[in-house]
Amino acid sequence: MYHHHRKHFWGLFSVPRVEWKSISDENLDITQFGILRMVILAAVPAVSFLIGINQVGWSLAGNEFNKIALSDALPMAVAFYVLIIVFTSMMAYFTFAMERAFGEEASFGRCLLFTTYTATPMYMAGLIGFVPIVWLAMLVLLLAVCYSLYLLYLGIPIYMNIDEGKGYVVSTSIISAGLCMLVVFNVLTVIIWSTIVI
């Protein structure tokens, strides 16, 4: 399982079209693997953020860093982690609803796996949390979101085994829901942040 995970991780960044086909054809316990993958990858931004704001300190522009005590940073990181899990699960459920409407083979496990693979660039962008400079973090996140959108558009017709036309409709619907959820996620993150910092 670890070998497949590592292979797909690099494949999605190097040959995404081929990798989506490989992921789609695999016979894994996809629900268990999807949950495991989500739980592990969601920890990347949360742990990076925890270490960054506690050891390095956060900064708006990179000039002055403000460290946050572990007693404050830890609950923020836990809340951040829970948010990531909840929003990934919500996106997986919405993808599942779309696959039921348009695809030939619908299962929540498949959609959870698809969502976690699609979100991999955003999870890994969380490594910027080790150096929590606000403008840099926003730039890295924007680039990660763009690549995740590319993976989604490319992967939907291959993974759901539907034609390009239906794939476009499904992708656009999922992206619209995802962008709305991203706005809500950002608002909740700011609320969590402000309760501790301000």
Side-chain angles (χ1 to χ4, degrees):
M1 185 177 287
Y2 174 73
H3 170 72
H4 288 297
H5 166 75
R6 186 175 59 184
K7 172 180 171 291
H8 294 323
F9 177 86
W10 294 113
L12 285 171
F13 287 96
S14 55
V15 283
R17 190 181 296 274
V18 174
E19 211 56 49
W20 273 130
K21 185 73 174 85
S22 174
I23 293 167
S24 180
D25 291 343
E26 261 183 5
N27 292 314
L28 293 168
D29 183 345
I30 49 181
T31 303
Q32 182 182 355
F33 186 49
I35 292 171
L36 180 64
R37 182 181 170 83
M38 174 180 66
V39 166
I40 292 171
L41 287 180
V44 171
V47 172
S48 302
F49 175 74
L50 172 64
I51 294 171
I53 61 175
N54 178 246
Q55 297 297 315
V56 179
W58 68 277
S59 172
L60 281 175
N63 299 325
E64 186 178 329
F65 289 84
N66 306 286
K67 289 185 181 181
I68 296 179
L70 187 61
S71 58
D72 289 330
L74 188 58
M76 288 172 68
V78 170
F80 189 39
Y81 178 73
V82 171
L83 271 184
I84 294 169
I85 293 289
V86 168
F87 277 82
T88 302
S89 301
M90 288 171 66
M91 281 305 303
Y93 186 79
F94 185 78
T95 304
F96 174 51
M98 295 303 295
E99 187 174 38
R100 261 191 318 196
F102 290 92
E104 296 177 0
E105 177 188 352
S107 83
F108 179 74
R110 276 175 54 80
C111 292
L112 179 60
L113 193 61
F114 176 81
T115 302
T116 54
Y117 273 122
T118 303
T120 294
M122 290 190 284
Y123 291 136
M124 300 317 294
L127 289 170
I128 197 65
F130 281 117
V131 188
I133 300 171
V134 174
W135 73 265
L136 183 60
M138 296 303 292
L139 177 61
V140 170
L141 180 61
L142 179 62
L143 293 173
V145 167
C146 289
Y147 196 74
S148 285
L149 294 181
Y150 169 69
L151 286 180
L152 194 148
Y153 264 114
L154 198 64
I156 283 288
I158 299 170
Y159 196 75
M160 291 189 181
N161 194 26
I162 55 179
D163 62 51
E164 294 286 340
K166 285 182 180 177
Y168 178 78
V169 172
V170 172
S171 300
T172 304
S173 300
I174 293 172
I175 286 169
S176 299
L179 291 177
C180 290
M181 288 188 190
L182 192 61
V183 170
V184 175
F185 178 86
N186 286 337
V187 169
L188 291 176
T189 301
V190 169
I191 291 171
I192 292 169
W193 179 265
S194 62
T195 57
I196 302 294
V197 176
I198 298 175

